[in-house]
Amino acid sequence: MSGPFDINRWKPGPLLPPRDARDGALVFVVAVLCFLACLTALAALAANRAAEGWTSQLTGSATVVVRAKAGETPDSAAARAAETLAGVKGVVQAQALTKDKAEALLEPWIGRDALVADLPTPRLVTLDLDPKAPASAEALTKALHEAAVDAVVDDHSRWIADIERGAGLARWAALGVFGLIAAATAAVITFATRAGLAARHEVIEVLHHSGAEAGFIAKLFQNRFAAMAASAGLLGGAAAVIVGVAARLAGGGSGLTPVLPLAWVDLLAPLPCPLIAALVAGMAARAAALRLLKDMP
């Protein structure tokens, strides 16, 4: 039973109220920004994994276009090329494609109607290369030349360069989006801090004239907005994880789409979001508070 001398009755309240009417809107905005940042991170990881997968596939394979010589059928020329290339160091398997498979590869480019019976369809030989020490295009061409096989080797090097360039652009684009979102978050927190300082001008002025150091006052707002941003980052990161899980489950083993494969381990990317949001918010709030307190007499 509390009495007139109950210590809890005279316990001083916090200098800043635990809640404010403006907090809800601020938490929502920061949570949305964190959500977008986490989605960007997931998309960047998926794009990077897709690029690495395409690069490894192209690096581990090659295609040889075989042209039959006089007195030789296309199928026999392709079989001789496959037999020759199978003995080259760095080649795991060489397989000559039949005419039907070769025409199936050409059909999307020239159409079914153009595949007439008299069309001299070149034969293809597909090669599976050793991923650790793949055979070079020069070694394959030399082996074909020594076996007197008229063929052209495509080691996919030009496609690898394009994919690596695209992956680099995707990484830089992701970093740029992260930078923009971080700047937007800092701007929102700075504006909210200025508004909070203006609304509590009397409290700050009393503390300032009572001898409270600027660092002490700034720390109040730093902790306040850091905690608020951490909760917003937790909400935004959790929402991004939910979207990632839905995308992963919707597409099965390849994720939502094989073009952007999303792995389960990628869903750990949003984990640092609350900490990063708190750091950005804390630094922005402290800087804004110190700048405004500097102008006070």
Side-chain angles (χ1 to χ4, degrees), residues 1 3 5 19 25 27 34-35 37 62 71 108 136 157 187 195 198 201 233 245 260:
M1 186 174 181
F5 298 103
R19 291 186 180 182
V27 169
C34 292
F35 172 73
S136 63
S157 58
H201 185 272
V245 170
L260 291 176

Side-chain angles (χ1 to χ4, degrees), residues 8 12 24 28 44 49 56 66 78 100 137 165 183-185 188 203 235 258 273 289:
N8 292 326
F28 175 78
R49 176 171 287 101
S56 63
V66 182
D100 294 338
R165 183 164 52 252
T185 304
V188 169
V203 176
L235 292 174
C273 184

Side-chain angles (χ1 to χ4, degrees), residues 46-185:
N48 186 66
R49 176 171 287 101
E52 290 179 353
W54 296 335
T55 302
S56 63
Q57 290 178 6
L58 292 177
T59 304
S61 64
T63 305
V64 179
V65 181
V66 182
R67 294 182 292 267
K69 292 185 175 182
E72 187 179 31
T73 64
D75 290 332
S76 62
R80 192 159 61 90
E83 183 179 358
T84 299
L85 295 175
V88 177
K89 183 179 180 181
V91 176
V92 177
Q93 183 180 9
Q95 181 180 6
L97 300 183
T98 62
K99 180 181 179 181
D100 294 338
K101 291 184 178 180
E103 291 180 348
L105 294 176
L106 293 174
E107 182 178 340
W109 301 98
I110 64 177
R112 178 179 292 274
D113 296 336
L115 295 173
V116 297
D118 296 336
L119 181 68
T121 305
R123 294 297 185 266
L124 302 178
V125 176
T126 60
L127 304 178
D128 293 334
L129 306 179
D130 186 355
K132 296 182 179 180
S136 63
E138 292 78 9
L140 297 174
T141 302
K142 181 180 179 181
L144 292 170
H145 180 73
E146 292 176 352
V149 178
D150 185 8
V152 178
V153 178
D154 181 8
D155 62 348
H156 305 158
S157 58
R158 56 176 178 172
W159 307 112
I160 295 175
D162 292 338
I163 290 177
E164 290 178 346
R165 183 164 52 252
L169 291 175
R171 295 187 188 99
W172 282 110
L175 290 176
V177 172
F178 269 120
L180 289 175
I181 293 176
T185 304

Side-chain angles (χ1 to χ4, degrees), residues 182-248:
T185 304
V188 169
I189 295 300
T190 302
F191 176 80
T193 303
R194 288 178 177 272
L197 287 170
R200 300 173 180 86
H201 185 272
E202 294 81 3
V203 176
I204 296 172
E205 189 174 10
V206 170
L207 290 172
H208 181 67
H209 290 298
S210 298
E213 297 181 355
F216 171 78
I217 301 175
K219 187 176 181 181
L220 294 176
F221 288 89
Q222 172 186 332
N223 295 340
R224 166 70 173 273
F225 286 99
M228 191 184 308
S231 61
L234 182 61
L235 292 174
V241 170
I242 292 174
V243 173
V245 170
R248 187 68 173 78

Side-chain angles (χ1 to χ4, degrees), residues 32-45 178 181 233 236-241 266 269-274:
V32 170
L33 293 173
C34 292
F35 172 73
L36 295 177
C38 292
L39 282 186
T40 303
L42 293 178
L45 289 174
F178 269 120
I181 293 176
V241 170
D266 295 341
L271 285 180
C273 184

Side-chain angles (χ1 to χ4, degrees), residues 2-15:
S2 61
F5 298 103
D6 187 358
I7 191 173
N8 292 326
R9 291 185 56 185
W10 305 102
K11 184 178 181 180
L15 295 177

